[in-house]
Amino acid sequence: MIKLDGIKKVYKTGDIEVLALSGIQLHVAEGEFVSIMGPSGSGKSTMMNILGCLDKPTGGTYFLDGIDTSKASNNELANIRNRKIGFVFQGFNLLKRTSALENVELPMLYAGVAAKERRKRALAALESVGLADRVHHKPNELSGGQQQRVAIARALVGQPAMILADEPTGNLDSRSSEEVMAIFQRLHAQGNTIVVVTHEPEIAEHTWRIVRFKDGHIAQDELVAEPRMARAHVPDEEGA
Amino acid sequence: MNIWESFRVSLRALLANKMRSILTMLGIIIGVGSVIAMVGIASGATANIMEQVQSLGSNMLIVMPGATTTGGARGAAGSMNSLTMTDLEKLEAAAQTPNSPLKAIAPVSSLSVQIVNAAGNTQTTMTGTTPAYADIRNITVEIGRFITQEDIDAGSRVAVIGPSVVENLTGNAQTNLLGQTIKLNNVPFMVIGITESKGSSGMTNNDDIVIVPLSTAQIRMIGNKYLRSIFVEADAADHMTEAQEEITSILLKAHKIGVGGTADFSVTNQADVLSTIQTITRTMTMMLGGIAGISLLVGGIGIMNIMLVSVTERTREIGIRKAIGAKRRDILLQFLAEAVVLCIIGGGIGILLGAGGSALLGKALDVATKVSAFAVLIAVAFSAFIGIVFGVFPAKKAADLDPIEALRYE
């Protein structure tokens, strides 16, 4: 599913070159639930940008779902982000003054899905994260946890190859964090490939595999012996 | 994403920020509105002037005497006594020959007169002429009759007067002075007709007239037989030049002026006057439209300004859209569509306001206004064009944003 081979990223500021990633080797199989950890400056943000096809590596190859992304143009990368990746951000990144439903419809708008089909799928996705009764609410009318669930609905609505979450619980209280992790665990159980970038050990413990970054390389890559199960507060668990 | 979706997305964005959208549109509204109003007023005024010039007589040529020269000082055109009754007879004879481009001839001997009747007095210019004058100058008698050949042969003291003269004498244009006596410079005349009102054209009031038989004017009032002018009607609009040439050659021969000599008369062509007026009013229309066009341009720059601010303000939104798969083209189209929608809606409101404004202004200034489909078309096309031109730069700026940077923007 995800295959990184010798991924390098060099940032140039004037004459100074900073090596953010030095030859990363990483394989993530389909259906895995992985967390990427590391202190700030370890290269995990750069890693997240490259995994999310928001940035291009300086060297190495990155195959996502069989596509070589390192040779793709900006437009092709936009297409890959649209069809292969579902993003969940720390700051939710929902469009303001836009209803939950329309936010979830957005990726399908760019994928060229017909309006009727968009609505149907967006409603289903919102229902699966327990927000069936909040579809016409705007982000400022929703709690942080609810906003993040809208973002998750938006990420999974296009049935992407990978859900990529960047500090998904960073702005949430512990109860909402539990809810969000419960949804991820359920999505994992349903066979989705999920990568979570986080610096919180408790969050990483909810995943099946932890990849630790340090100074631009992978310091440790281990399976979690006994993942911590999130207690679900999501009311309509059975709706999924 | 297709263009239709882009327009829907941009419409939604504009509705989400109504106050800003309206303020942005204001520039275009005022620009388009003033173009429509200005051009409407200008073309209405043009039509007005043309109509009045036409109503003075179509296919008309005016023969005037030349200027006198006294001790090297040249007098006003028409001040010379060079047009005679012989000239008139020669022109009338020419008009009788078959295939002549001259259709009708009317001489004028005029004098400034003081008019007095029982009710009051006024001053105007008396015109001594022949029956042909009524046709050539498009004069219609409302009550009574026009002067006839019998009046001229008999040298009768009869007068046809305009409604303004009636009003100036009695205070009411509707007063029936038919059959009553008025005194022109103390000579009593009987009113035999009152003309239909024609209004004024420019500085001339076409209703302030007194028409008397030519013979009466020359013998009783003026005391000589020179003509002030001769009005000639050509038989068709495209024979004006031929008619002008024929008159010139007849009069040159009559006045015994050879090749190279200076003519002691001038022949003015009504068509020339019309085309001069047309040129002037066209220039006026262009100038007004141009000034209004500049305000449209300023409106366009206003749109660009707000769009640039909007792009900065919505950097994060652009980042989100790009992260979830919007291509460069999608963002470009979205912002371009926003600018175009602003301009088209603004243009539409501007057209309505401009049409209303020109009608209102026309009423206030008492000129007929005309909102032409052409002006509307130009205004709409121009505002859409402005939307694209001034939308491209902000849209390009938005489309070229780096998604990572844009997502990090607070």
Side-chain angles (χ1 to χ4, degrees), chain A:
Chain A
M1 179 60 50
I2 300 169
K3 209 170 122 191
L4 280 78
D5 198 4
I7 288 291
K8 250 198 216 168
K9 182 71 189 179
V10 180
Y11 287 113
K12 257 190 199 162
T13 329
D15 289 337
I16 308 154
E17 287 194 352
V18 179
L19 190 65
L21 293 175
S22 53
I24 301 294
Q25 302 284 135
L26 181 70
H27 294 244
V28 176
E30 194 176 342
E32 270 199 272
F33 189 8
V34 184
S35 56
I36 292 174
M37 289 199 71
S40 53
S42 64
K44 71 176 193 307
S45 286
T46 308
M47 185 64 193
M48 141 91 197
N49 288 339
I50 287 172
L51 275 178
C53 293
L54 291 164
D55 205 355
K56 286 188 213 178
T58 317
T61 56
Y62 167 27
F63 281 87
L64 174 63
D65 204 18
I67 304 164
D68 184 1
T69 67
S70 24
K71 288 191 185 72
S73 70
N74 280 339
N75 264 345
E76 285 163 345
L77 283 181
N79 234 334
I80 293 167
R81 288 199 295 270
N82 187 228
R83 285 155 209 270
K84 300 289 178 194
I85 302 168
F87 284 98
V88 179
F89 299 95
Q90 176 175 3
F92 320 134
N93 279 344
L94 299 174
L95 293 189
K96 284 182 267 179
R97 302 194 197 92
T98 306
S99 71
L101 186 65
E102 281 172 296
N103 263 297
V104 176
E105 280 186 26
L106 205 57
M108 293 184 285
L109 182 71
Y110 292 117
V113 177
K116 241 182 168 172
E117 177 72 11
R118 285 205 302 259
R119 183 125 308 192
K120 206 181 97 193
R121 284 208 237 162
L123 282 170
L126 281 165
E127 200 179 328
S128 78
V129 295
L131 287 174
D133 55 341
R134 293 278 192 278
V135 292
H136 295 300
H137 286 58
K138 299 198 167 115
N140 58 351
E141 298 160 353
L142 296 169
S143 72
Q146 287 170 330
Q147 287 187 54
Q148 196 61 301
R149 274 147 63 192
V150 173
I152 294 170
R154 183 181 66 187
L156 62 87
V157 76
Q159 290 156 335
M162 160 179 64
I163 292 172
L164 184 58
D166 180 20
E167 303 279 8
T169 60
N171 285 10
L172 299 178
D173 58 34
S174 55
R175 192 189 134 103
S176 299
S177 298
E178 282 279 307
E179 279 176 15
V180 164
M181 291 319 288
I183 292 173
F184 279 137
Q185 287 183 336
R186 201 182 72 228
L187 291 173
H188 166 61
Q190 287 163 358
N192 289 291
T193 311
I194 304 168
V195 177
V196 177
V197 178
T198 183
H199 69 276
E200 292 174 75
E202 310 91 81
I203 294 303
E205 281 164 21
H206 285 84
T207 67
W208 268 248
R209 175 183 166 193
I210 299 176
V211 179
R212 287 176 209 277
F213 272 72
K214 201 185 167 188
D215 300 333
H217 62 269
I218 295 174
Q220 196 183 30
D221 187 348
E222 57 173 10
L223 292 178
V224 179
E226 206 175 317
R228 193 203 283 199
M229 292 311 288
R231 275 164 299 141
H233 297 282
V234 187
D236 60 337
E237 178 86 73
E238 67 278 7

Side-chain angles (χ1 to χ4, degrees), chain B residues 128-289:
Chain B
T129 188
T130 59
Y133 189 77
D135 281 339
I136 297 177
R137 303 293 316 262
N138 280 344
I139 291 171
T140 318
V141 176
E142 194 172 13
I143 43 176
R145 62 174 178 86
F146 200 70
I147 53 172
T148 59
Q149 192 56 47
E150 288 76 54
D151 295 328
I152 292 168
D153 292 344
S156 328
R157 286 167 306 172
V158 291
V160 175
I161 58 178
S164 291
V165 174
V166 176
E167 190 180 354
N168 290 341
L169 284 176
T170 65
N172 180 3
Q174 303 304 317
T175 316
N176 191 350
L177 288 181
L178 208 63
Q180 297 195 17
T181 302
I182 55 171
K183 282 183 172 177
L184 306 182
N185 287 357
N186 275 327
V187 180
F189 278 76
M190 188 174 78
V191 176
I192 55 165
I194 295 168
T195 62
E196 207 169 65
S197 177
K198 279 172 82 178
S200 52
S201 56
M203 304 281 282
T204 319
N205 180 354
N206 296 311
D207 294 336
D208 194 13
I209 50 170
V210 175
I211 299 165
V212 301
L214 180 67
S215 55
T216 318
Q218 287 177 335
I219 297 162
R220 284 190 179 270
M221 307 294 295
I222 303 168
N224 66 49
K225 291 199 131 193
Y226 291 110
L227 298 174
R228 199 90 180 104
S229 53
I230 301 171
F231 287 89
V232 181
E233 188 180 349
D235 62 348
D238 49 2
H239 286 166
M240 296 295 275
T241 315
E242 281 172 48
Q244 192 169 8
E245 280 164 3
E246 178 156 348
I247 295 166
T248 309
S249 84
I250 290 170
L251 292 183
L252 281 178
K253 208 189 275 170
H255 294 185
K256 298 189 171 62
I257 296 164
V259 182
T262 312
D264 55 358
F265 61 90
S266 64
V267 183
T268 313
N269 188 332
Q270 181 92 340
D272 291 346
V273 177
L274 268 180
S275 81
T276 307
I277 293 173
Q278 257 167 341
T279 312
I280 294 169
T281 53
R282 199 177 303 133
T283 311
M284 187 174 84
T285 309
M286 300 264 270
M287 195 182 73
L288 285 175

